[in-house]
Amino acid sequence: LNAKKTLSSWSPLRQSNSGSYSVSTNSMEELAESIIVNELSNGRERSDQSTTEQGNDSENTRTIAALQRALEIATILGSRVMAPILISLATKQNWPTEENGGWEAFWSTTTSSDDGGSATSLSHAQRLASSLEKLGPTYVKFGQALGSRPDVVPPSLAVALSSLQDDME
């Protein structure tokens, strides 16, 4: 698969002069785009080699659209939420335990990353809320439901998710 070759040559991490790491959102978007382009060109080659019916074309179109949406979701969650959190966990060794404040402290932890050319510093909870908003209304509704349940999620996460109810763009 061409996606494997693309993944093997890609690295989203950048190390600054001070030794801290940041995640490049642009490089993750470029990776997703290159995988889609490779898969689409492979699909065209396969369809050129065999005759396809009209039904197969619409099925292929739906499959490609689903693949593009899945890559969009993975890119947003990977670059905006998971990468900064994993870098924070790996570099600071602050795994959520009772000794260091548990999940409340984890969701309140602030990290910075390169988000399209400007360095931003957000808490893990704010990153998740921002990403849910970027993913669309279904994900916002999910975040709103979680934000209304501070008995289920830590207070700092509930506060960040409840902001989805207050200021939708």
Side-chain angles (χ1 to χ4, degrees), residues 1 7 25 29 77 81 93 101 104 106 115 124 141 146 148-149 157:
L1 212 161
L7 283 171
T25 304
E29 290 168 357
L77 291 178
V81 180
Q93 299 293 316
E104 174 62 24
F106 171 79
D115 194 16
H124 294 334
K141 275 293 186 195
L146 279 177
S148 69
R149 297 292 311 269
L157 181 56

Side-chain angles (χ1 to χ4, degrees), residues 8 15 31 34 40 46 48 56 60-61 64 71 73 85 87 94 121 131 140 142 159 161 165 169:
S8 65
Q15 189 172 16
L31 170 67
S34 67
L40 289 176
R46 286 191 294 268
D48 289 345
N56 287 341
N60 288 342
T61 302
I64 290 170
L71 283 171
I73 292 168
I85 288 174
I87 290 170
N94 64 345
S121 184
S131 296
V140 168
F142 176 69
V159 167
L161 293 175
Q165 298 172 351
E169 292 179 10

Side-chain angles (χ1 to χ4, degrees), residues 74-160:
T75 300
I76 290 169
L77 291 178
S79 66
R80 294 176 178 235
V81 180
M82 294 307 298
I85 288 174
L86 292 175
I87 290 170
S88 170
L89 289 172
T91 58
K92 296 179 183 175
Q93 299 293 316
N94 64 345
W95 300 95
T97 62
E98 287 189 32
E99 292 83 36
N100 67 8
W103 288 106
E104 174 62 24
F106 171 79
W107 286 108
S108 298
T109 301
T110 302
T111 56
S112 60
S113 70
D114 182 12
D115 194 16
S118 62
T120 57
S121 184
L122 300 170
S123 72
H124 294 334
Q126 290 168 324
R127 286 184 186 289
L128 179 61
S130 169
S131 296
L132 291 176
E133 192 172 46
K134 182 141 177 85
L135 289 171
T138 302
Y139 293 89
V140 168
K141 275 293 186 195
F142 176 69
Q144 289 173 340
L146 279 177
S148 69
R149 297 292 311 269
D151 59 319
V152 175
V153 297
S156 58
L157 181 56
V159 167

Side-chain angles (χ1 to χ4, degrees), residues 14-27:
R14 288 192 215 150
Q15 189 172 16
S16 69
N17 293 338
S18 65
S20 65
Y21 288 92
S22 66
V23 179
S24 170
T25 304
N26 292 338
S27 67

Side-chain angles (χ1 to χ4, degrees), residues 32-42 44:
E33 184 178 328
S34 67
I35 290 172
I36 290 171
V37 168
N38 286 337
E39 291 306 309
L40 289 176
S41 65
N42 289 342
R44 282 191 203 114

